[in-house]
Every structure is written in structure tokens, then in C-alpha cells.
Amino acid sequence: MAALKLAVFASGRGSNFEAILRAIDEGRLDAEVRVLISNKSDAGALEIARRRGIPAFHLSAQQFPTPEAFDQSLLEILARHEVNFIALAGYLKKLSPTIVQAYRNRILNIHPALLPAFGGKGMYGHHVHQAVLDYGCKVTGVTVHIVTEEYDAGPPVIQRCVPVLDDDTVETLAARVLEVEHQVYAEALQYFAEGRVQVEGRRVRILPRPA
Ligand code: GRF
């Protein structure tokens, strides 16, 4: 049985979700996607899940009378699908403390920059890459981090640099960063699948593979 029984949360096209599925198919990631959750009814990620027969839910807080009712429904879906790990892949909603506590140190997010630079509210999609170019950065990158109660502020698991080239546009830079996102998300998840992640405060240590 797969080590990680994943729920993937996505709001958009779902290319990171697809990259996770590819890594599983190719045997690079010991995981199984049990459920896909999206807050957007027209998310490409929902379509990808449905095509592959993965249970997929459109779930947004607006469908519920209170934030608590939304959380309860979310937790119920996660429990029903025996989820033991959550991967946020372009999920644009903040998870409530209730969800974060229920899956403490078992929720990852991927961000298309080197946090804490170019993170936080409003820093998503092309806004991130535009801000990197506006600042004149020479490098940017990807951060995979543990999700905490604060937005984009949990401890990094993997950070990888990506060069910014002189003639980059938002589109060319985003594409170069996205390619790296697709590699590192599966790598970070596999560390958890192998039980090699030790969290000490903000320092995340990746233990060597047993000999
Ligand atoms: C990615 O750039 C990811 O880093 C960010 O949102 C984007 C999602 O893209 N959190 P996709 O839906 O996975 O293609």
C-alpha cells in the first residue's frame, strides 16, 4: 500500500497535480491520490481528476452556513478517503487552523519563489513573477514548505533556485519556474513517504536513506 494517501487541493489548471500523478505513475513517488478538492467549479484540476477516476469535489466555504460547517465537511471527506497527507497545488484559499491542526506537519504547499521573498497575500500566479522582474532579481526559485496557520510562512522543505535571464518576461520566467516546481514537489513528498523528514522548529532536516 502507498505510504502517502494524498488529498490534493487545487484552484486552477492543475499542472502540479498532474506532475504528482506522473511521479506516482513512474514510481518516483510512493503515494496514491485519494481525493482532489477544489474551491473552483471550473478548475482544470477537477477535470484531470475525473478523467483518471479520482474522486473529485468542488467544495467552497460559500456552500456552507459557517466556516466551521465547511471545515467539518472537509474533514469528513478527508477521513472518508483515509487521507494521511495533504498537498496544496495552486490552492488559493487559506486553510483554517482546524484543518492545519488536524494534519500538523502533514500539509505541504508549493510557492513559485524563494520564500519569504515574494510571498503572502496577493502573491500568486503571475503577480509573483512580475514582482521578481520589477525588483530586478537575478535569481528566483521554488519553495515547497510545510503549511502552518500563517499564509506562505511555514518551514521550507525544499528550495531550489531558478535564474532570471535578462530578456525574461513574466511568461518565460513562469515557465522556467514551473518546470522546476514539477520536479521538486514529488521529491519533497517522497521524503515524507520515506519517513525521512525531521521538523525541529523551523528547520526541516532530510535524514539520509537507511543503508
Ligand atoms: C503554481 O505556480 C504553484 O506554485 C502556485 O500556483 C501555481 C499552480 O499551478 N501555488 P498549477 O495549477 O499547478 O498548474
Side-chain angles (χ1 to χ4, degrees):
M1 201 202 286
L4 300 186
K5 296 176 192 152
L6 282 178
V8 177
F9 285 44
S11 303
R13 72 193 151 181
S15 75
N16 277 286
F17 172 41
E18 251 179 338
I20 289 170
L21 292 171
R22 210 175 313 126
I24 294 171
D25 290 346
E26 292 172 0
R28 287 181 281 121
L29 173 57
D30 182 13
E32 183 190 334
V33 179
R34 306 293 297 235
V35 62
L36 182 283
I37 290 170
S38 182
N39 61 317
K40 295 270 183 212
S41 59
D42 58 352
L46 279 172
E47 195 43 48
I48 295 167
R50 287 180 182 139
R51 244 187 283 130
R52 304 213 14 165
I54 295 168
F57 295 88
H58 166 227
L59 209 67
S60 87
Q62 287 99 293
Q63 300 160 335
F64 295 87
T66 62
E68 291 74 22
F70 170 65
D71 282 346
Q72 281 323 305
S73 171
L74 206 51
L75 287 174
E76 192 270 320
I77 290 174
L78 298 176
R80 184 150 41 91
H81 291 87
E82 296 177 347
V83 166
N84 65 9
F85 207 96
I86 298 173
L88 307 185
Y91 187 64
L92 296 177
K93 285 281 164 196
K94 189 170 183 277
L95 292 182
S96 76
T98 307
I99 308 293
V100 174
Q101 276 154 31
Y103 285 85
R104 173 73 66 202
N105 288 347
R106 302 197 64 81
I107 310 177
L108 294 185
N109 181 43
I110 187 156
H111 186 78
L114 296 172
L115 291 172
F118 306 111
K121 263 221 147 332
M123 278 294 175
Y124 63 90
H126 67 90
H127 300 289
V128 177
H129 306 296
Q130 185 66 62
V132 166
L133 290 175
D134 288 348
Y135 196 87
C137 288
K138 302 297 185 189
V139 288
T140 181
V142 176
T143 303
V144 179
H145 67 92
I146 292 173
V147 171
T148 57
E149 284 80 352
E150 230 182 305
Y151 205 71
D152 280 346
V157 178
I158 295 182
Q159 291 195 294
R160 201 150 294 164
C161 291
V162 174
V164 179
L165 305 183
D166 287 347
D167 53 0
D168 261 337
T169 61
V170 167
E171 288 73 27
T172 58
L173 183 57
R176 193 175 312 112
V177 170
L178 192 64
E179 223 174 283
V180 176
E181 290 186 49
H182 294 166
Q183 295 162 19
V184 297
Y185 213 171
E187 284 176 37
L189 288 164
Q190 181 59 15
Y191 291 148
F192 284 87
E194 293 174 4
R196 293 169 56 201
V197 180
Q198 195 173 298
V199 183
E200 293 162 16
R202 290 200 58 86
R203 306 287 295 272
V204 176
R205 207 184 290 273
I206 309 304
L207 304 174
R209 269 203 193 89

